């Protein structure tokens, strides 16, 4: 039972949370060097762990990533002197650059190859075998299909596996079965989830790719669709075949193809119409990207509409979490539409959370829409709605025709669970955004407090405060010293100095009482020497001012 729960928890991990890697040290372990790598999941430093990797492990990773055709600079091998301290230090810096380069690419950072390198515990090797076991269990209760072959690494999701299947009574028909483990956003119990999954094959809309079969089990969900040889919109842009490996097809294709403005307007209008259709029925989507849009003739049709029910996170989740104003399902769809529009226009994915400048070759109507969605300030304030985009100059006058009336009937008892699923998606996103924002503020405050400029500023402020305290102490003590013995010190040629200030200076004593006024006829004291002052005091003494006293002598002894 414990083993099963461990597998289940691994399948429920969120692979869209970004990882950060830092090589902290290099250790000499007998015949080789171990590089100690600190891996952190998300912004919280507490969610981190250490792994030990040799240079040969980096070489193995590099060999596996060669299928991407990307130029990744791995430091070269060295046979002699590879244990010297200076060489190890230089290699550590080069390996850190290599890891940072891999993490900067969204497709590489989310790939199973790299995840296994830095997080092998949560990414076992036998995931396809686990998926095949679940498919075999499904076909025991639904004996209408048989598996032809697995489609390895067809999509970007690590915990989603694809299989080519066919109906037993129609052996020439090719279909694709997708099995996916439940995601972290799942809140629906299987009792509520099963009826909603059964509703998906009944959806009829010209811009939603039809589903043949949908079901769920305790660990995940199954969806079967007809295989389409044309592929997705991303296959069209990258000139790739739909059955190829994800990294090989999309990381660095031989050629990118951008779409003309008329095709962009048509596809964009169709996608916005189907998004509006889903939101009017309070159905959360949130998974729009070029790989989830099937091209069929002159129409584009949405895929993966079951993802929100299964609790799967969005492809652009890491980017969306950076902006707290993108906190609704509709705002997620609008933001993802901006990325899709950019990819159709430029032929390449944006690979960034936002962009403030666009090439002058972008047509003005497209540029206006892109700026209204992907601009940094707009993402921080408020995105347009789907209706706003439909009324924009780019899509307002695009003709749309429906051969049949769209249908999507949700049972009344399933509407409340569907609303709960939507609320769970938005709540988890808000919590993630709040966490990221708080850690970002803390990081900025720590960086600002520890900067050299801030240290110098605090040092100058401390010197100024100490100087002011010293001046105040000197001003408060100077009158006391002058009245007490200032004349004597000056006469002897001694100069008084103020005591050195201390961090906590005591409050000065109260000033002495004012002197008693002299009687008329008396001479004021002079400021000459002490001897002349004493002589003048004797000469000015008035005896008559003394009070007469009678003395009783009791010194004689008593008899």
């Amino acid at each position: 039972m414990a083993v099963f729960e461990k597998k289940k928890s691994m399948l429920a991990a969120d692979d869209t949370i970004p990882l950060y890697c830092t090589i902290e040290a290099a250790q000499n372990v007998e015949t080789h060097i171990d590089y100690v790598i600190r891996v952190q999941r998300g912004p919280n430093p507490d969610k981190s762990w250490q792994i030990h990797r040799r240079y040969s492990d980096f070489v193995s990773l590099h060999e596996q990533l060669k299928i991407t055709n990307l130029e990744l600079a791995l430091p070269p091998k060295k046979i002699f002197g590879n244990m010297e301290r200076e060489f190890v230090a230089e290699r550590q810096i080069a390996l850190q650059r290599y890891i940072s380069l891999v993490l900067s690419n969204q497709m590489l950072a989310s790939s199973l190859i790299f995840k296994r390198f830095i997080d092998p515990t949560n990414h076992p090797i036998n995931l396809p075998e686990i998926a095949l076991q679940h498919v075999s269990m499904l076909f025991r209760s639904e004996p209408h299909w048989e598996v032809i072959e697995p489609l390895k690494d067809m999509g970007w999701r690590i915990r989603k596996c694809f299989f080519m299947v066919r109906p037993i009574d129609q052996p020439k028909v090719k279909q694709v079965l997708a099995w996916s483990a439940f995601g972290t956003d799942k809140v629906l119990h299987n009792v509520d989830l099963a009826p909603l999954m059964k509703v998906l094959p009944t959806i009829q809309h010209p811009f939603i790719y039809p589903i043949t079969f949908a079901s769920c089990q305790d660990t995940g969900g199954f969806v079967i669709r007809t295989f389409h040889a044309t592929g997705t919109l991303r296959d069209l842009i990258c000139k790739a075949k739909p059955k190829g490996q994800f990294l090989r097809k999309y990381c660095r294709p031989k050629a990118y193809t951008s779409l003309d403005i008329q095709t962009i307007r048509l596809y964009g209008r169709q996608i916005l119409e189907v998004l509006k259709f889903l939101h009017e029925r309070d159905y959360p989507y949130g998974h729009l990207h070029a790989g989830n849009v099937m091209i069929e003739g002159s129409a584009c049709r949405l895929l993966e509409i079951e993802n929100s029910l299964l609790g799967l996170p969005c492809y652009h989740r890491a980017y969306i979490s950076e902006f707290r104003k993108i906190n609704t399902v509709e705002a997620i769809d609008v933001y993802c539409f901006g990325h899709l529009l950019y990819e159709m226009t430029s032929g390449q994915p944006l690979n960034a959370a936002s962009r403030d400048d666009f090439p002058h070759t972008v047509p003005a109507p497209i540029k206006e829409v892109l700026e209204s969605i992907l601009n940094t300030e707009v993402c921080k304030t408020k995105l347009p709605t789907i209706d706003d985009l439909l009324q924009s100059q780019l899509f307002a006058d695009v003709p749309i025709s429906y051969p049949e009336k769209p249908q999507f009937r949700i049972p009344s008892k399933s509407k409340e669970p569907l609303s709960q699923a939507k609320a769970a998606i938005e709540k988890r996103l808000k919590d993630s955004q709040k966490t990221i924002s708080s850690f970002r503020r803390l990081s900025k405050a720590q960086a600002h407090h520890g900067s050299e400029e801030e240290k110098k500023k605090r040092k100058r402020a401390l010197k100024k405060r100490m100087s002011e305290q010293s001046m105040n102490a000197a001003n408060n003590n100077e009158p006391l010293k002058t009245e007490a013995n200032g004349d004597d010190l000056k006469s002897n040629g001694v100069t008084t100095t103020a005591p050195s200030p201390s961090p906590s200076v005591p409050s000065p004593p109260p000033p002495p009482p004012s002197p008693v006024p002299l009687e008329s006829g008396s001479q004021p004291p002079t400021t000459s020497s002490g001897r002349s002052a004493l002589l003048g005091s004797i000469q000015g003494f008035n005896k008559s001012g003394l009070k007469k006293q009678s003395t009783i002598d009791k010194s004689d002894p008593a008899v």
Side-chain angles (χ1 to χ4, degrees), residues 56-75:
S56 58
D57 297 325
F58 283 91
V59 173
S60 177
L61 171 67
H62 186 70
E63 291 295 325
Q64 296 179 69
L65 292 179
K66 283 184 176 180
I67 64 172
T68 63
N69 296 321
L70 293 173
E71 296 180 359
L72 303 173
L74 181 71

Side-chain angles (χ1 to χ4, degrees), residues 116-216:
R116 285 175 179 166
F117 176 78
I118 59 176
D119 190 11
T121 304
N122 289 321
H123 300 88
I125 301 176
N126 59 342
L127 277 175
E129 297 178 3
I130 297 175
L132 184 58
Q133 292 176 5
H134 291 300
V135 172
S136 301
M137 294 176 60
L138 172 69
F139 285 170
R140 291 178 185 177
S141 58
E142 298 289 341
H144 307 294
W145 291 273
E146 61 180 359
V147 177
I148 301 176
E149 61 177 343
L151 302 175
K152 296 182 179 180
D153 303 327
M154 184 176 177
W156 71 275
R157 291 189 185 276
I158 296 175
R159 306 171 198 277
K160 191 167 192 173
C161 300
F162 297 89
F163 301 88
M164 186 71 73
V165 299
R166 62 187 174 191
I168 295 178
D169 56 349
Q170 295 177 316
K172 294 184 178 181
V173 176
K174 291 183 178 182
Q175 295 177 333
V176 176
L177 183 147
W179 175 86
S180 176
F182 291 134
T184 50
D185 290 339
K186 179 182 178 293
V187 295
L188 297 177
H189 298 288
N190 286 357
V191 177
D192 299 322
L193 177 60
L196 287 170
M197 295 292 287
K198 291 181 179 180
V199 172
L200 298 182
T202 65
I203 299 176
Q204 296 181 8
H205 196 284
F207 308 134
I208 296 179
Y209 199 75
I211 295 175
T212 304
F213 174 81
S215 181
C216 65

Side-chain angles (χ1 to χ4, degrees), residues 209-256:
Y209 199 75
I211 295 175
T212 304
F213 174 81
S215 181
C216 65
Q217 290 182 346
D218 294 336
T219 56
F222 306 85
V223 173
I224 298 178
R225 294 180 175 88
T226 302
F227 175 74
H228 199 278
T230 304
T232 64
L233 178 58
R234 182 163 289 166
D235 292 327
L236 176 64
I237 294 175
C238 298
K239 295 183 178 180
K241 296 180 180 180
K243 292 176 62 176
Q245 290 184 338
F246 181 82
L247 295 179
R248 188 187 301 274
K249 290 190 300 183
Y250 304 137
C251 276
R252 190 180 180 183
K254 295 181 180 180
Y256 286 103

Side-chain angles (χ1 to χ4, degrees), residues 164-390:
M164 186 71 73
V165 299
R166 62 187 174 191
I168 295 178
D169 56 349
Q170 295 177 316
K172 294 184 178 181
V173 176
K174 291 183 178 182
Q175 295 177 333
V176 176
L177 183 147
W179 175 86
S180 176
F182 291 134
T184 50
D185 290 339
K186 179 182 178 293
V187 295
L188 297 177
H189 298 288
N190 286 357
V191 177
D192 299 322
L193 177 60
L196 287 170
M197 295 292 287
K198 291 181 179 180
V199 172
L200 298 182
T202 65
I203 299 176
Q204 296 181 8
H205 196 284
F207 308 134
I208 296 179
Y209 199 75
I211 295 175
T212 304
F213 174 81
S215 181
C216 65
Q217 290 182 346
D218 294 336
T219 56
F222 306 85
V223 173
I224 298 178
R225 294 180 175 88
T226 302
F227 175 74
H228 199 278
T230 304
T232 64
L233 178 58
R234 182 163 289 166
D235 292 327
L236 176 64
I237 294 175
C238 298
K239 295 183 178 180
K241 296 180 180 180
K243 292 176 62 176
Q245 290 184 338
F246 181 82
L247 295 179
R248 188 187 301 274
K249 290 190 300 183
Y250 304 137
C251 276
R252 190 180 180 183
K254 295 181 180 180
Y256 286 103
T257 302
S258 58
L259 307 182
D260 59 87
I261 186 171
Q262 296 301 326
T263 304
I264 292 174
R265 296 179 68 222
L266 177 62
Y267 288 174
R269 178 61 187 264
Q270 292 174 353
I271 293 171
L272 291 174
E273 288 288 344
V274 69
L275 291 177
K276 181 180 179 181
F277 172 80
L278 294 174
H279 285 290
E280 287 176 347
R281 285 147 183 82
D282 204 29
Y283 186 89
Y285 182 56
H287 293 271
L288 179 63
H289 61 82
N292 281 347
V293 178
M294 184 71 74
I295 302 299
E296 194 172 22
S298 60
C300 56
R301 315 180 77 175
L302 287 190
L303 296 167
E304 309 294 335
I305 63 173
E306 72 278 1
N307 285 355
S308 56
L309 301 180
L310 302 178
L312 303 182
C314 173
Y315 178 71
H316 298 295
R317 177 63 177 267
Y319 294 154
I320 295 172
S321 299
E322 298 183 15
F323 305 107
R324 300 189 66 175
K325 294 298 182 179
I326 308 178
N327 51 18
T328 64
V329 176
E330 182 179 5
I332 293 174
D333 286 333
V334 171
Y335 178 79
C336 295
F337 179 80
H339 276 264
L340 177 62
L341 182 62
Y342 179 89
E343 190 169 350
M344 289 191 295
T345 305
S346 64
Q348 300 182 18
L350 181 57
N351 282 330
S354 61
R355 181 161 182 172
D356 298 330
D357 59 326
F358 298 94
H360 65 278
T361 55
V362 178
I366 299 179
K367 184 177 181 180
E368 180 181 356
V369 176
L370 290 175
E371 290 177 344
S372 68
I373 300 176
L374 298 178
N375 183 269
T376 304
E377 292 301 323
V378 172
C379 292
K380 292 180 179 179
T381 54
K382 185 179 180 181
L383 296 181
T385 63
I386 294 177
D387 288 332
D388 294 337
L389 296 177
L390 285 170

Side-chain angles (χ1 to χ4, degrees), residues 312-502:
L312 303 182
C314 173
Y315 178 71
H316 298 295
R317 177 63 177 267
Y319 294 154
I320 295 172
S321 299
E322 298 183 15
F323 305 107
R324 300 189 66 175
K325 294 298 182 179
I326 308 178
N327 51 18
T328 64
V329 176
E330 182 179 5
I332 293 174
D333 286 333
V334 171
Y335 178 79
C336 295
F337 179 80
H339 276 264
L340 177 62
L341 182 62
Y342 179 89
E343 190 169 350
M344 289 191 295
T345 305
S346 64
Q348 300 182 18
L350 181 57
N351 282 330
S354 61
R355 181 161 182 172
D356 298 330
D357 59 326
F358 298 94
H360 65 278
T361 55
V362 178
I366 299 179
K367 184 177 181 180
E368 180 181 356
V369 176
L370 290 175
E371 290 177 344
S372 68
I373 300 176
L374 298 178
N375 183 269
T376 304
E377 292 301 323
V378 172
C379 292
K380 292 180 179 179
T381 54
K382 185 179 180 181
L383 296 181
T385 63
I386 294 177
D387 288 332
D388 294 337
L389 296 177
L390 285 170
Q391 296 173 5
S392 64
Q393 179 185 357
L394 184 60
F395 304 112
D397 57 348
V398 178
I400 293 293
S401 60
Y402 294 95
E404 298 179 359
K405 184 179 179 180
Q407 295 183 5
F408 186 11
R409 297 178 181 178
I410 302 175
S412 57
K413 64 178 181 180
S414 298
K415 291 183 179 180
E416 181 63 25
L418 189 62
S419 300
Q420 294 177 2
K422 180 180 178 181
I425 295 173
E426 295 176 350
K427 181 181 183 303
R428 182 172 178 270
L429 177 61
K430 292 178 182 178
D431 293 342
S432 177
Q433 292 170 337
K434 183 178 179 181
T435 302
I436 292 175
S437 178
S438 61
F439 277 102
R440 185 180 296 172
R441 289 196 301 268
L442 178 62
S443 177
K444 287 184 179 179
Q446 293 175 346
H448 177 71
H449 189 75
S451 62
E452 292 297 328
E453 182 179 355
E454 186 65 17
K455 289 180 180 179
K456 293 179 180 179
K457 184 178 179 180
R458 291 198 302 270
K459 190 175 181 180
R460 290 194 298 266
L462 179 60
K463 287 183 177 180
K464 182 178 179 181
R465 187 167 63 252
M466 297 285 285
S467 177
E468 291 177 353
Q469 292 176 355
S470 176
M471 292 177 62
N472 291 336
N475 293 335
N476 292 331
N477 294 334
E478 184 177 358
L480 291 174
K481 291 182 178 295
T482 303
E483 291 180 6
N485 55 1
D487 294 338
D488 295 335
L489 294 175
K490 288 181 180 179
S491 63
N492 296 328
V494 180
T495 305
T496 60
T497 58
S500 59
S502 60

